[in-house]
Amino acid sequence: IGDILPLKAHTKNDVPLFSERVPILAESVPVDEATSTATEMIRRRAMSDPLVSVVIPTYNRSAFIGGAVENVLEQTYLNTEIIVIDDGSTDETLTILKKFGDRIRVVRQANAGPAAARNHGVEIARGEIIAFQDSDDLWMRTKIEQQVSLLERGGTNVQVCLCNAKMYFTGKPTQTSFDLAGIYPAFE
């Protein structure tokens, strides 16, 4: 699931707050006045067409990474930068990524896990908004466009915009991630 966050809303004292196994919940969280003011300044400056940094952590995903990157390049929202953090792959992942040339930024690091790769991506991101995509995920073509619009409509009270993923299981009916988690958004 690719979650999308305003860049300044997910750090504390400039330290990223992501770790393995810590879910992002869909709820309104009060923020202190300084954070609220900074977030509002970011939103006002970025209202017209904010740059969205798409961070894709990957490790030995040569079979999927090309499709994931192509999927982001095909988004209807065009003001994006794609940052792929290769977490020490030993397969053909880097060979696949080289085919995209300067349309993406690839950074290689020693294997440290997906949370470290996401944090590294956030550290080098230039965007006003951060979007996370797993290296085997595919998004609807309007995903970023719709989520940027939701963030703008939500104002400073909305710090996170979550994706509702359809999940297909063999022999079972299609379910959504929101249904399974009991998440009921205030607006869509």
Side-chain angles (χ1 to χ4, degrees):
I1 297 173
D3 303 318
I4 192 165
L5 305 136
L7 181 57
K8 301 301 182 192
H10 59 277
T11 62
K12 182 173 183 177
N13 299 327
D14 296 323
V15 176
L17 298 178
F18 302 109
S19 65
E20 302 282 355
R21 299 184 179 93
V22 176
I24 299 174
L25 301 176
E27 63 181 60
S28 179
V29 179
V31 293
D32 62 43
E33 188 175 334
T35 303
S36 179
T37 302
T39 302
E40 181 58 29
M41 286 172 34
I42 291 167
R43 286 184 190 280
R44 261 188 269 127
R45 187 174 70 237
M47 285 292 277
S48 61
D49 195 20
L51 176 64
V52 175
S53 297
V54 179
V55 176
I56 306 174
T58 190
Y59 175 73
N60 288 342
R61 303 296 272 191
S62 62
F64 303 103
I65 190 64
V69 170
E70 282 291 344
N71 180 253
V72 177
L73 291 170
E74 294 171 353
Q75 287 289 302
T76 57
Y77 189 88
L78 301 178
N79 194 18
T80 61
E81 71 168 342
I82 301 171
I83 303 167
V84 180
I85 305 296
D86 180 68
D87 195 38
S89 294
T90 57
D91 66 357
E92 297 299 313
T93 296
L94 284 175
T95 302
I96 303 290
L97 293 171
K98 285 179 184 176
K99 296 176 183 175
F100 292 100
D102 64 359
R103 295 185 295 164
I104 66 173
R105 205 164 22 144
V106 178
V107 177
R108 187 167 168 84
Q109 68 179 31
N111 184 263
R118 284 183 191 96
N119 286 342
H120 191 168
V122 168
E123 288 170 11
I124 64 172
R126 295 184 300 244
E128 305 280 345
I129 296 172
I130 303 291
F132 295 106
Q133 183 185 38
D134 289 341
S135 57
D136 63 347
D137 284 355
L138 298 176
W139 291 340
M140 301 298 288
R141 288 192 72 232
T142 59
K143 180 228 189 262
I144 296 175
E145 180 181 348
Q146 289 180 21
Q147 288 191 304
V148 168
S149 174
L150 284 170
L151 283 170
E152 290 174 346
R153 285 189 359 225
T156 59
N157 290 331
V158 176
Q159 299 295 314
V160 177
C161 187
L162 299 175
C163 230
N164 191 9
K166 288 183 182 177
M167 297 182 296
Y168 303 94
F169 301 102
T170 305
K172 294 183 180 179
T174 300
Q175 295 179 298
T176 70
S177 57
F178 282 12
D179 291 339
L180 289 172
I183 297 173
Y184 307 101
F187 59 92
E188 296 184 42

